[in-house]
Amino acid sequence: MHIEAWVWVVTVLSLVGLIAFDLIYQSRHPHEPSFKESALQSMLFIGLAVVFGWFVAQVWGGQYGNEFIAGFITEKSLSVDNLFVFLIIFSQFKVPRRLQSEALLAGIAIALVLRGLFIALGAAAIDAFSWVFYLFGFFLVYTAFMLVWDTFHEAKEDKVPGGLVMKWVRKNFATVEEFHGSKLVIKQDGKRFLTPLLLVMITIGTTDVLFALDSIPAVYGLTDEAYIVFTANAFALLGLRQLYFLLSGLMERLKYLGLGLSIILAWIGVKLVLHAMHENELAFINGGEPIKWAPEISTELSLSVILVTLVVTTALSLFVTRKKKASI
């Protein structure tokens, strides 16, 4: 898949333009989006992702189009788990509902920039060392195990990072405890202070980078094209703000989402390890020779596993929580 420099430039500028437009609109009209507004905007962003996937298939081939769609669905499903953490962050900072949308959007913009750097580093590492696939694969299997542990041990709050970041910010910058509308910095008695809204944005952005430690390797398990990895991440992040308000009333009912995500991550982790075996260059494994019997899992099969897993675990979650609610 050959990507010209101008394609990268146009893609990045288009995505930045979408985020900038959303950010400017939200800053000028701070409000809590209604369910209808969130649903329509979510459908718009998902529609854009589908159209982009079709465009990729038409220009570079159906294989790459499938890889983008599989990557996008994986990132989107992983981002739902992120929303639980965002909910806890808003609760800790006591963010008013009307300001949560703006905080989410700015945090997502920060995350997109930082994820771009992570993706570039990942692509460089893969180009230089094929054994990185072993590392990514085993890390995803470990992450899958931890997700299962969190699912059955009610440990969501343990996943909230940002403590060290906030400690450093509060130590080096003057801050205030009360919100001042959508202002990020205020001036009092001739001195500038950071508002809690800016702290929330920083926390969301840095938190999302930690989530990228499993989501980016997961997409690299479906494609080795940095362009697809970046765009799949970007399109998944673009609609995250709308998805938060759309699912805010349902998040507590997604009881087995973590289990479904663990199955997906474990599947992709195994796929990465098998791919690494097929391309093996490590001297202490099979004498540094590729392992011929190691099968290659197709993108189409992975896409099917991802879709079926999400549908089954979501339906099971809604059924079980509905049954419990009815019995109370």
Side-chain angles (χ1 to χ4, degrees):
M1 187 178 183
H2 179 66
I3 307 295
E4 299 283 353
W6 68 266
V7 176
W8 273 104
V9 172
V10 170
T11 302
V12 172
L13 289 179
S14 298
L15 292 170
V16 170
L18 283 172
I19 294 177
F21 174 80
D22 208 1
L23 182 59
I24 293 171
Y25 175 81
Q26 185 60 36
S27 63
R28 292 182 177 179
H29 307 86
H31 67 290
E32 178 185 346
S34 64
F35 180 87
K36 181 179 179 180
E37 180 183 349
S38 299
L40 289 175
Q41 291 182 4
S42 292
M43 290 174 61
L44 173 62
F45 282 116
I46 292 174
L48 286 175
V50 172
V51 170
F52 184 79
W54 173 86
F55 173 77
V56 169
Q58 296 303 307
V59 176
W60 290 285
Q63 172 67 21
Y64 294 118
N66 288 337
E67 289 178 2
F68 171 79
I69 294 299
F72 170 72
I73 293 174
T74 300
E75 287 300 302
K76 203 69 172 176
S77 58
L78 287 170
S79 69
V80 175
D81 197 45
N82 298 10
L83 298 182
F84 287 101
V85 178
F86 295 162
L87 185 63
I88 295 170
I89 291 173
F90 288 148
S91 176
Q92 289 179 341
F93 282 91
K94 297 181 175 60
V95 183
R97 288 282 291 184
R98 65 184 182 85
L99 295 178
Q100 290 180 9
S101 184
E102 186 175 350
L104 272 172
L105 189 57
I108 289 168
I110 295 171
L112 185 59
V113 174
L114 296 177
R115 281 196 184 205
L117 297 175
F118 271 46
I119 291 168
L121 292 173
I126 288 171
D127 285 341
F129 311 104
S130 63
W131 55 262
V132 170
F133 284 114
Y134 281 116
L135 185 63
F136 282 0
F138 287 124
F139 179 73
L140 288 181
V141 172
Y142 167 77
T143 303
F145 172 78
M146 294 308 298
L147 272 176
V148 173
W149 180 271
D150 285 346
T151 298
F152 293 103
H153 289 78
E154 304 293 335
K156 289 289 180 184
E157 294 192 25
D158 293 337
K159 296 171 62 178
V160 182
L164 292 177
V165 174
M166 283 301 99
K167 184 177 180 180
W168 181 86
V169 170
R170 291 181 184 277
K171 181 179 179 180
N172 292 276
F173 298 92
T175 63
V176 292
E177 297 300 321
E178 63 278 2
F179 287 87
H180 291 262
S182 59
K183 293 181 179 179
L184 305 180
V185 180
I186 61 169
K187 195 171 184 179
Q188 292 181 347
D189 300 325
K191 186 177 180 180
R192 295 188 181 278
F193 294 84
L194 307 185
T195 69
L197 184 60
L198 180 57
L199 302 184
V200 170
M201 291 177 178
I202 295 172
T203 302
I204 290 176
T206 53
T207 297
D208 194 80
V209 169
L210 296 181
F211 281 119
L213 293 178
D214 56 39
S215 63
I216 289 177
V219 184
Y220 269 120
L222 299 168
T223 178
D224 56 3
E225 298 292 339
Y227 183 75
I228 293 179
V229 176
F230 175 75
T231 51
N233 268 271
F235 276 101
L237 285 174
L238 279 178
L240 194 58
R241 178 177 69 90
Q242 290 78 8
L243 193 63
Y244 172 82
F245 289 99
L246 185 63
L247 298 180
S248 59
L250 284 176
M251 283 192 286
E252 292 184 0
R253 295 188 59 189
L254 298 178
K255 181 178 178 66
Y256 298 115
L257 175 65
L259 181 60
L261 295 179
S262 69
I263 293 172
I264 292 172
L265 290 179
W267 172 270
I268 298 175
V270 171
K271 182 179 185 293
L272 274 171
V273 172
L274 290 174
H275 179 74
M277 293 169 66
H278 197 265
E279 302 289 332
N280 181 61
E281 295 178 352
L282 293 179
F284 59 87
I285 298 179
N286 198 40
E289 296 295 324
I291 301 175
K292 301 294 185 181
W293 58 262
E296 287 278 10
I297 299 175
S298 68
T299 302
E300 291 75 16
L301 178 58
S302 293
L303 180 56
S304 299
V305 170
I306 291 168
L307 288 173
V308 170
T309 301
L310 288 175
V311 170
V312 171
T313 53
T314 300
L316 181 62
S317 296
L318 296 177
F319 174 76
V320 169
T321 52
R322 178 174 179 268
K323 191 174 181 180
K324 285 185 177 181
K325 185 176 180 181
S327 64
I328 295 177

